[in-house]
């Protein structure tokens, strides 16, 4: 049996969906990436709690005509590649279950969210 892997979106990115593709700017080097529709599905479903094999089965195989084994292999390779660029976080256990000291610190995406965050701390 394969080891389950979990993915989560990095808090150090900026992203915007255009049509079926996602534009993602990495905090590492401010590089801009364009994700195709399949990669966009994986990125959007990367909640840290759902294993990649379930994302593939429920979201990718249901939308595209692809064999589950092939889709899983491709999704894992894509996740590794996006993690190397700082776009996704990868773990062998649910990311939300990691100790707080190991959790990435989320930053607000917009000035409005930053203002809201300041107001909540008051």
């Amino acid at each position: 049996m394969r080891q389950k892997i979990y993915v989560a979106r990095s808090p150090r990115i900026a992203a915007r969906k255009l049509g079926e593709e996602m534009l993602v700017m990495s905090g590492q080097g401010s590089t801009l990436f364009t994700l195709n529709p399949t990669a966009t599905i994986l990125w959007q479903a990367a909640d840290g709690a759902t294993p990649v094999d379930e994302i593939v089965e429920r979201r990718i195989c249901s939308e595209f005509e692809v064999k589950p084994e092939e889709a899983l292999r491709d999704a894992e390779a894509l996740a590794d590649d996006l993690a190397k660029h700082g776009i996704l976080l990868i773990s062998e256990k649910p990311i939300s279950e990691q100790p707080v000291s190991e959790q990435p610190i989320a930053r607000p995406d917009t000035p409005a969210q930053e203002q809201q965050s300041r107001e909540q701390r008051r």
Side-chain angles (χ1 to χ4, degrees):
M1 186 170 157
R2 291 178 94 130
Q3 174 73 36
K4 288 192 180 282
I5 63 168
Y6 298 83
V7 291
R9 293 180 296 273
S10 171
R12 294 173 178 83
I13 54 95
R16 177 79 57 207
K17 188 167 182 188
L18 295 173
E20 293 183 354
E21 296 182 335
M22 183 71 67
L23 297 177
V24 180
M25 181 172 286
S26 171
Q28 288 180 253
S30 298
T31 305
L32 184 65
F33 296 88
T34 302
L35 305 183
N36 67 25
T38 307
T40 296
I41 290 170
L42 177 65
W43 188 83
Q44 288 180 313
D47 61 7
T50 308
V52 170
D53 61 338
E54 287 183 29
I55 294 170
V56 167
E57 181 184 329
R58 294 179 187 167
R59 304 279 310 274
I60 294 174
C61 290
S62 66
E63 190 159 329
F64 301 97
E65 289 186 31
V66 60
K67 294 178 183 175
E69 309 81 37
E70 181 181 344
L72 180 58
R73 215 174 25 253
D74 291 347
E76 288 175 344
L78 174 65
D80 283 337
D81 190 42
L82 294 178
K84 288 176 187 170
H85 293 288
I87 294 172
L88 285 180
L89 306 173
I90 297 179
S91 178
E92 293 179 350
K93 57 184 176 181
I95 294 171
S96 59
E97 290 182 9
Q98 292 180 2
V100 173
S101 62
E102 295 178 22
Q103 290 281 334
I105 299 171
R107 293 181 7 198
D109 294 326
T110 66
Q113 287 175 326
E114 187 174 311
Q115 178 66 30
Q116 183 180 20
S117 178
R118 273 192 233 122
E119 290 172 3
Q120 289 174 346
R121 288 189 298 247
R122 292 183 186 165

